[in-house]
């Protein structure tokens, strides 16, 4: 089933995250969050993050990730992977015949995929959603 529409007003001016800028009252149109976040409804699903190994990529404990199973996983993509029966979210590294899953937090070591280790990529992370208020 297609997701229900969630159309919110989208203003055309950008908002300064540094010094304030003059406000524009220009409404660009409406933004449907489902269409913005989900490329392929049949191939996408969401998972909730647990842990802080991807914090330097802007992915924090409790965030929701949109995972797209239809996208081919490539070097540098953030992926949802199953390694030896356990789920993990990491950056995929594939160079010179070597495959690794890289955290985005220096407190965690890279995970080199060795012979006999079973790695399955469930999908590519295409969006991260975070509520700022409970």
């Amino acid at each position: 089933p297609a997701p229900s529409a969630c159309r919110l007003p989208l203003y055309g001016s950008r908002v300064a995250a540094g010094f304030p800028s003059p406000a524009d009252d220009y409404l660009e149109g409406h933004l449907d969050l489902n269409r913005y976040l989900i490329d392929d409804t049949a191939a996408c699903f969401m998972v909730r993050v647990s842990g802080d190994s991807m914090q330097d990529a802007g992915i924090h404990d409790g965030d929701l990730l949109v995972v797209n199973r239809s996208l081919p996983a490539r070097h540098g993509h953030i992926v949802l992977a199953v390694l030896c029966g356990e789920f993990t979210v990491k950056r995929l590294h594939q160079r010179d015949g070597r495959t690794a899953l890289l955290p985005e937090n220096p407190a965690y070591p890279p995970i080199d995929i060795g012979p006999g280790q079973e790695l399955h990529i469930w999908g590519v992370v295409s969006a991260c959603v975070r509520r700022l208020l409970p």
Side-chain angles (χ1 to χ4, degrees), residues 39-68:
D39 299 323
D40 182 347
T41 57
C44 290
F45 62 94
M46 297 181 86
V47 295
R48 189 171 302 277
V49 175
S50 176
D52 62 355
S53 71
M54 295 300 288
Q55 70 182 18
D56 292 350
I59 299 172
H60 299 279
D61 186 59
D63 287 353
L64 289 170
L65 301 179
V66 177
V67 179
N68 188 328

Side-chain angles (χ1 to χ4, degrees), residues 2 5 9 11 30 51 54 63 73 76 80 82 85 93 95 97 111 122 129:
Y11 288 88
H30 286 86
M54 295 300 288
D63 287 353
L80 175 64
V82 178
H93 179 90
R95 286 289 186 250
I111 302 169
W122 268 46
V129 181

